[in-house]
């Protein structure tokens, strides 16, 4: 981030500053309230496929988000969703689909026949009486509540509300979690479902539920909040310890389920629930800290929970007093945390509710501001920020002169104008915000000199204007020293210690040497004694390019500037220890480029005999065959025993043909056939041959037997 | 005494030859076949001695086919020989059928091994 190209135009500097500001902005830990980025993410994640959403659950989530965020460009899915709702509003649909169909109907208000509600309500009441699992009770009670809102004439009150309350409460555990069924696995997510269901039972009860039972549930809520997890920056959340089990829910789903349950329960009970304000603010910070989730369900959980946290149903008036059940969190955020002294920026702070709406009248106080290097002394103390009506920001109009470039921590506090407001809103006490104050650091009095040996007499000295483009050309030998010095001053005139102050000497052969420039107060100076550096420079004489790098996060004009050349004359390397030059850094693209082609060395084939020799021996092999045939003739071989009558004659011919066929098959096998076809054909021919051979040989046998007996 | 030994050798040879001439013709045919097979094997061995045994499987299959068929012919001669009391009840046609069958199987294996 310190490498600024040598463009001195203000445009380049401004662009770099903006880049700077963006990169640091993301590092600030303060999450801002919901903004238009969430609205566009909602439109992207909940885009209907072919005009409708995949399921009723998704349709409900999409419609609810568009409603909460007041998204203007929301897609119109009434035409495709209402038919789906109507087809699911029958008694036989599974509970979960019925529940979501009713939820969608609550938002879209499709035209539904009143009798349908009566049917469903009676089925649901029967389910509530019979079912023993938490999920079934949750969906049936939730559906009954929705029918109550949508069809006021239908009777949805539960006959045995006490019994239902008791059966849900029976699934609770001592640590505030709930079980889904009689099986022992418990979860925090189930606690959220149970609290919502219990709130529903209280609403649907025909006669009032006993107050002591309600107080028991309030205690359960407090115990549940005892198991809340936290991060160091004050964020609170719920997570499941049991991995696996009934559809493991992540921290976002679990936390939003608990929020839904607790707020539903708080809405139907009177009196306070003693939840500390910092935990509520921590939950708000958790949901805002997610940023823009990439998953549709996470976005829905985030937005719905934040909407609940913002809603002021928890604040009621009872006999002229405000009774707050659960505090409403207020979020302080800064649009920018980098302030430029050269641009004379103003410090701006926003206070909103979690969904981005306006906060109640309040003043933001800057309690104190201190530098991170001097934590004890405060540069600003107890200033109030002015509220600008038009932009909605709280503004600190001018930073006092004491504030120099550097990294500070500003501590803010919100003071509500209404005295009772402290009880209603959770402001989070003192909020620490890291602020970067940047400015232009003056670089001046740059001097380069070549000094002669120990006496320090100057051979050449040149001054340099580092703001300009001029370069110097020097020469030196190994007996001399090189000195370079300059001064850095902050906009307020103090000494400045940058993160990076390097001097680089690069030889023509691309070997580089980097030195750190040390300082005493404002003055930075480096002295290179070439006598001691001869070995380090690998005895390479020649032209060295000099470059200076000065950079820091809060320095707006960090630079990398070539200063000029130095002709260095070093002695020859002694041959006894010739310097081993380390390998130069390889261009990474060539290192991973294609390697040299490998030529495969094939196994040298065996020496074969010359062709004529082989052919001679082939003919020699045929000689014994000729000898055999000649011998046969000499012995007087004849075919007199060949049968004359027709049938045996044919068999005889077929026999000889069969043998010839098999031999031909073998030759073909050697030439081109494979073993399997050969075996198959041999088998066939063999069977034929057996049959034929048997006939002819038995004929011959009987013929010779007749001769013998005759 | 050299003359007598050579004359003895000649007499021995003539006696053997006349005794051999008395064998039936079919046995002589089989003997001729065996000689043919053995000579072919010998020529292959000489060739291998000359050029080396590089495709060893080919050499083996060639030599073993000759040797195998010679062995089967010898078996046939034993079974067909009328003076052989052991095989008196075996019809010579049956022995010949066995000979043909075994040769076919031998040559199938040889052809597979030839490569």
């Amino acid at each position: 981030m310190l490498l600024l190209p040598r463009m001195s135009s203000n445009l380049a500097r401004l662009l770099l500053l903006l880049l700077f500001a963006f990169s640091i902005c993301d590092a600030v830990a303060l999450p801002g309230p919901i903004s238009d980025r969430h609205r566009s993410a909602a439109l992207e994640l909940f885009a209907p496929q072919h005009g409708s959403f995949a399921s009723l659950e998704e349709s409900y989530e999409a419609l609810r988000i568009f409603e909460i965020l007041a998204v203007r460009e929301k897609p119109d899915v009434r035409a495709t969703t209402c038919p789906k709702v109507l087809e699911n509003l029958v008694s036989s649909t599974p509970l979960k689909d019925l529940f979501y169909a009713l939820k969608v109907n609550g938002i879209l208000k499709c035209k539904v026949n009143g009798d349908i509600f009566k049917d469903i309500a009676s089925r649901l009441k029967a389910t509530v009486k019979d079912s023993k699992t938490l999920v079934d009770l949750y969906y049936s009670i939730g559906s009954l509540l929705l029918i109550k809102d949508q069809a006021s004439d239908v009777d949805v009150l539960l006959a045995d509300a006490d019994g239902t309350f008791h059966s849900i409460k029976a699934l609770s555990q001592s640590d505030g979690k709930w079980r889904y069924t009689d099986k022992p696995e418990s979860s925090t997510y189930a606690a959220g479902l149970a609290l919502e269901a219990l709130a529903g039972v209280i609403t649907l009860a025909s006669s009032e539920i006993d107050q002591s039972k309600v107080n028991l549930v309030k205690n359960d809520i407090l115990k549940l909040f005892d198991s809340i997890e936290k991060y160091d920056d004050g964020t609170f959340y719920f997570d499941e310890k049991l991995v696996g089990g009934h559809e493991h829910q992540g921290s976002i789903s679990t936390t939003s389920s608990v929020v839904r349950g607790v707020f539903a329960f708080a809405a139907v009970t009177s009196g306070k629930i003693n939840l500390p304000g910092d935990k509520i603010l921590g939950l708000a910070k958790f949901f805002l800290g997610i940023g823009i989730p990439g998953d549709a369900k996470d976005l829905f959980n985030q937005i719905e929970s934040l909407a609940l946290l913002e809603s002021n149903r928890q604040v009621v008036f009872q006999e002229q007093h405000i009774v707050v059940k659960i505090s409403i969190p207020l979020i302080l955020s800064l649009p920018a945390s980098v302030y430029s002294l050269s641009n004379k920026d103003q410090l701006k702070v926003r206070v909103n509710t979690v969904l981005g709406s306006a906060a109640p009248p309040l003043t933001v106080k800057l309690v104190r501001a201190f530098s991170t290097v001097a934590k004890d002394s405060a540069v600003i103390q107890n200033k109030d920020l002015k509220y600008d009506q038009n932009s909605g920001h709280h503004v600190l109009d001018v930073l006092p002169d004491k504030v120099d470039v550097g990294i500070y921590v500003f501590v803010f506090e919100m003071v509500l104008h209404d005295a009772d407001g402290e009880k209603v809103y959770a402001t989070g006490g003192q909020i620490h915000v890291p602020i970067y104050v940047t400015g232009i650091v003056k670089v001046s009095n740059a001097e380069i000199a070549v000094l002669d040996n120990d006496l320090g007499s100057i051979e050449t000295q040149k001054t340099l204007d580092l703001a300009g483009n001029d370069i110097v050309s020097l020469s030196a030998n190994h007996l001399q020293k090189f000195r370079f010095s300059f001064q850095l001053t902050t906009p307020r005139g103090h000494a400045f210690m940058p993160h990076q102050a390097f001097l680089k000497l690069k030889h023509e052969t691309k070997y580089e040497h980097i030195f750190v420039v040390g300082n005493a107060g404002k003055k930075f100076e480096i002295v290179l004694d070439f006598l001691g550096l001869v070995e380090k420079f690998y005895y390479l004489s020649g032209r060295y390019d000099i470059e200076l790098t000065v950079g820091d996060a809060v320095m707006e004009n960090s630079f990398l500037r070539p200063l000029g050349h130095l002709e260095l004359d070093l002695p020859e390397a002694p041959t006894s220890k010739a310097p081993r030059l380390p390998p130069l850094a390889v261009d990474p693209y060539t290192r991973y480029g294609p390697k040299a082609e490998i030529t495969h060395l094939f196994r040298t084939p065996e020496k074969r005999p010359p062709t004529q020799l082989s052919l001679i021996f082939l003919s020699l092999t045929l000689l014994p065959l000729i000898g055999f045939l000649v011998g046969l003739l000499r012995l007087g071989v004849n075919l007199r025993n060949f049968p004359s009558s027709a049938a045996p004659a044919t068999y005889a011919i077929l026999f000889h043909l069969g043998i010839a066929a098999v031999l031909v098959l073998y030759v073909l096998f050697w030439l081109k056939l494979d073993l399997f076809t050969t075996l198959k054909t041999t088998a066939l021919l063999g069977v034929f041959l057996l049959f034929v051979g048997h006939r002819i040989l038995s004929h011959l046998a009987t013929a010779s037997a007749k001769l013998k007996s005759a | 005494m050299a003359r007598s030994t050579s004359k003895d050798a000649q007499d021995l040879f003539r006696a053997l030859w006349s005794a051999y001439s008395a064998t039936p013709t079919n046995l002589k045919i089989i003997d001729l076949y065996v000689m043919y097979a053995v000579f072919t094997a010998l020529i292959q061995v000489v060739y291998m001695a000359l050029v080396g045994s590089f495709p060893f499987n080919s050499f083996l299959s060639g030599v073993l086919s000759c040797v195998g068929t010679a062995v089967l012919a010898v078996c046939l001669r034993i079974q067909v020989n009328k003076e052989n009391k052991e095989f008196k009840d075996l019809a010579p046609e049956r022995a010949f059928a066995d000979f043909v069958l075994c040769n076919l199987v031998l040559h199938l294996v040889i052809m597979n091994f030839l490569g």
Side-chain angles (χ1 to χ4, degrees), chain A residues 265-292:
Chain A
F265 195 78
V268 298
T269 54
S270 57
K272 267 168 77 91
I273 302 182
N274 282 326
L275 290 174
D278 60 338
K279 289 200 177 155
I280 299 296
L281 189 63
L283 287 173
K285 275 200 207 166
F286 171 71
F287 284 113
L288 288 174
I290 299 170
I292 314 272

Side-chain angles (χ1 to χ4, degrees), chain A residues 96-138:
Chain A
K96 183 170 170 182
D97 294 333
L98 188 60
F99 177 71
Y100 282 112
L102 284 166
K103 280 229 186 230
V104 172
N105 192 37
I107 302 180
L108 285 182
K109 303 199 185 355
C110 304
K111 289 197 186 32
V112 180
N113 198 341
D115 294 331
I116 297 181
F117 286 127
K118 287 203 179 61
D119 264 339
I120 302 175
S122 45
R123 178 219 171 181
L124 287 170
K125 282 198 271 193
T127 317
V128 167
K129 225 195 303 198
D130 300 327
S131 85
K132 289 276 167 267
T133 65
L134 183 61
V135 174
D136 285 344
L137 280 168
Y138 171 76

Side-chain angles (χ1 to χ4, degrees), chain B residues 13-24:
Chain B
F13 184 67
R14 235 179 265 130
L16 276 172
W17 183 255
S18 53
Y20 184 67
S21 308
T23 53

Side-chain angles (χ1 to χ4, degrees), chain A residues 38 41-49 53-55 57-66 69 252-253 256 260 290 292-304:
Chain A
H38 288 85
L43 282 170
E44 241 179 67
L45 286 170
F46 284 105
Q49 311 278 358
F53 294 104
S55 64
E57 190 175 347
E58 205 187 316
S59 316
Y60 163 64
E61 289 173 2
L63 290 167
R64 183 89 181 104
I65 285 197
F66 295 145
L69 292 178
I252 301 179
S253 312
S256 63
R260 270 198 292 270
I290 299 170
I292 314 272
D295 179 52
K297 205 163 186 59
D298 284 344
L299 181 67
F300 168 71
N301 281 330
Q302 179 197 36
I303 301 289
E304 207 204 14

Side-chain angles (χ1 to χ4, degrees), chain A residues 36 109 362 408 629:
Chain A
D36 279 335
K109 303 199 185 355
L362 52 81
Y408 292 86
L629 292 172

Side-chain angles (χ1 to χ4, degrees), chain A residues 242-257:
Chain A
L242 176 73
V243 177
H246 182 108
E247 269 184 53
H248 171 69
Q249 307 281 347
S251 52
I252 301 179
S253 312
T254 315
T255 315
S256 63
S257 163

